[in-house]
Amino acid sequence: MIHDVQLDETEIERALMLMDTMILDGVSGFRDTYTDAVEKLIQAKAEGKTPAAPKTEAKRSGQVVDLMSALEESVQAAKKSRGESGEDATLHDMPTRKKTTAKKTSKKAPAKKAAKKTAGRKPRSA
């Protein structure tokens, strides 16, 4: 469904300016390999030939990294660069806090909440 829309001249100008900024210059360097592959497939089927299987890239075998050992090495290197020894830090007990008695304040009565307004039932028309 298309609606009749009224546009101001400035809106049209801004839309055209936006479209101009989105245009790529020199698109001749790009190639649509998908369309080329589909065209070759259609041509092979039209000639009654069995289409060639698509070329797949060989899977790259990557090196498996143990993240925990890499993290440990990184931490040790950081400690060494700061001149810290490789020993663990000495732990000390924290002093206990002294309990203070809370000052009693006079309690105020809680403010009354406003009653919630609910939508009442509308009377039926006769």
Side-chain angles (χ1 to χ4, degrees):
M1 178 164 48
I2 299 175
H3 298 282
D4 189 26
V5 178
Q6 299 295 323
L7 297 175
D8 189 5
E9 279 297 317
T10 56
E11 291 174 322
I12 294 172
E13 287 177 22
R14 287 181 184 160
L16 292 173
M17 287 173 41
L18 177 63
M19 289 173 36
D20 288 341
T21 61
M22 296 173 74
I23 293 174
L24 293 175
D25 292 330
V27 292
S28 61
F30 295 105
R31 183 174 178 137
D32 186 3
T33 57
Y34 178 78
T35 303
D36 293 342
V38 171
E39 287 175 354
K40 286 180 184 178
L41 179 67
I42 293 170
Q43 184 178 5
K45 286 189 174 187
E47 294 173 357
K49 297 179 183 175
T50 304
K55 295 179 183 178
T56 58
E57 293 183 25
K59 293 183 179 179
R60 299 181 193 171
S61 60
Q63 179 183 0
V64 177
V65 178
D66 181 13
L67 294 178
M68 288 306 292
S69 64
L71 178 62
E72 183 64 32
E73 289 174 14
S74 174
V75 169
Q76 293 301 327
K79 285 182 179 180
K80 190 175 184 179
S81 71
R82 291 191 303 252
E84 296 179 15
S85 65
E87 299 176 12
D88 290 335
T90 306
L91 298 178
H92 301 281
D93 289 332
M94 296 294 290
T96 58
R97 292 178 133 189
K98 294 181 180 179
K99 292 185 179 180
T100 59
T101 58
K103 294 181 180 179
K104 292 185 179 182
T105 59
S106 62
K107 291 187 177 182
K108 294 182 181 178
K112 292 185 179 181
K113 294 182 181 178
K116 290 184 181 179
K117 293 184 180 181
T118 58
R121 185 173 175 174
K122 295 182 181 179
R124 294 185 186 182
S125 58

